[in-house]
Amino acid sequence: MKVRVARRVVFGSTIALALSIGRAEAQTPPSSAPGAAQPRDPTASKLAKVHFEQGDQYFADKEWLKAHDEYVKSLSQEKTMSAMTALASTLRQLERYNESLDLYEKVLLEPKLPSNLMDDVRRGVEDLRKRVGTLELTGDTPVGARLLIDEKERATLPLLAPLRVPTGTRQISVKKDGFEPIAATAEVKPGQKSVVELRAPSRKGRLSVSEKHGWALEVEIDGQRLGVTPWEGLVEPGEHRVQLRGFVGLQALAECTAPEAGAGGAEAAREGAKMESPVQTATVKLYEVTPVVLSAQDVDASLRVESTPSGAHVNIDGKVVGRTPWEGRLPLGEHAVEVRAAGFLLAKQAVRLERRKQREVQVVLEHEPDPDAQRRTRNIAAGVGYGVGTLGFGLLAVTGGLALKEVGEVRARCGGTSCPQSERQKLDEAGDLGTLATVGLVVGAVGVAAGTTALFVLQPGGDERRPGGGAKASGGVAWRAGVGLGRFEIEGRF
């Protein structure tokens, strides 16, 4: 027993401190312990004591690792300041100074630490702080990676605060499944912070691609076929366009199940419905796994769109797909096709696609109406109308006046109810003038009506045309006006 005490004096006052604390704890009844949440388990306390005493024996024999294990077992049964202090001292002997310091600082937070022993613990803390420094990592610090220092795992990145490490040259390694390790060396000085910038040897991220229903389809990344779902591989960090293409057997498609395994399932997939997913943009980060789950659609139908003139933009279901002539595969069902080009009216058409059939849409685009030309046409039409009306009313005035004059003169010469045969010719001439006056009235009225109609009804046409149908005006009116030598015509719908 004297030998054990002598050895403890050699290895520091901390073990004596642990024994003193242990005796003080043993003398304090569990129920009277300040701040005690619940009574101690007698069995656990007994096992903790056995492991603690065994640890003391190993410590006295300088078997540090065995002593460390026994103190840990003691603390697992019951947390006591004696075991915490003894473990801190053992860690110090193992040169695990950062762990020893952490444990000593926890002892200082214990409310039951005797005041006469607090100074010894504080001196131990001050001494250990001279033996450790702190480490801060910058640069490539992958989230979720394991941080190893001198091949011992210390933390998971990212670090929330600088990490305590022993002084000296330290080998740093960052490991994450599926990626190359990141290695660095740090020179740690006592009481100082060492900043190490990590640089990944491979500037890659990992992309994981799968199909929602479990179908085996080809994976295209940025236009290159790289494999079959489920697929996972290394790619450059940044944005990537991901799409799935392939075939699925009709039975698997109807039941929404994954293809059968083996050659039979592969053959059914080659002969089945053509499948394709929408393009999805995935953002891949360095040393991180980006999952992409795509849902493929049945695109076992094709559509070809042509236009006159060619080179027009083609929109399908509100998305730009290319220029005419355009051909591609689309999901079954109805789609809205739009064709547009600068200087032409927009053309729209609804198309319904059926399995393994190709639809063709041919569009003849119409030029957009020239507002200035339309205004000139309107003004000309109105002018011609009012001009014709003016001529008609002028004819009415002249011929009507002459007719009235002739009738008046005949009546004056006849004087009674009968006239001589010589006056009959004068009466016929007056009748002809009356007929011309009536014609002038009708022509004048029609001319004024036509001029008014040209001013208020003839407006620029609409901005869209539907293939296979007529023009559609934005105001509900479509028209065509024509003016020529000896004619004026208006044609349209209102």
Side-chain angles (χ1 to χ4, degrees), residues 80 146 410 476:
T80 61
R146 296 177 295 118
V410 170

Side-chain angles (χ1 to χ4, degrees), residues 216-232:
L217 301 175
E218 291 183 334
V219 179
E220 289 188 7
I221 299 179
D222 300 327
Q224 296 184 353
R225 297 182 179 182
L226 299 181
V228 177
T229 55
W231 178 90
E232 185 171 310

Side-chain angles (χ1 to χ4, degrees), residues 201-221:
S202 175
R203 313 298 296 176
K204 298 288 185 180
R206 188 169 287 273
L207 194 59
S208 175
V209 184
S210 61
E211 204 284 326
K212 180 180 178 180
H213 306 93
W215 293 326
L217 301 175
E218 291 183 334
V219 179
E220 289 188 7
I221 299 179

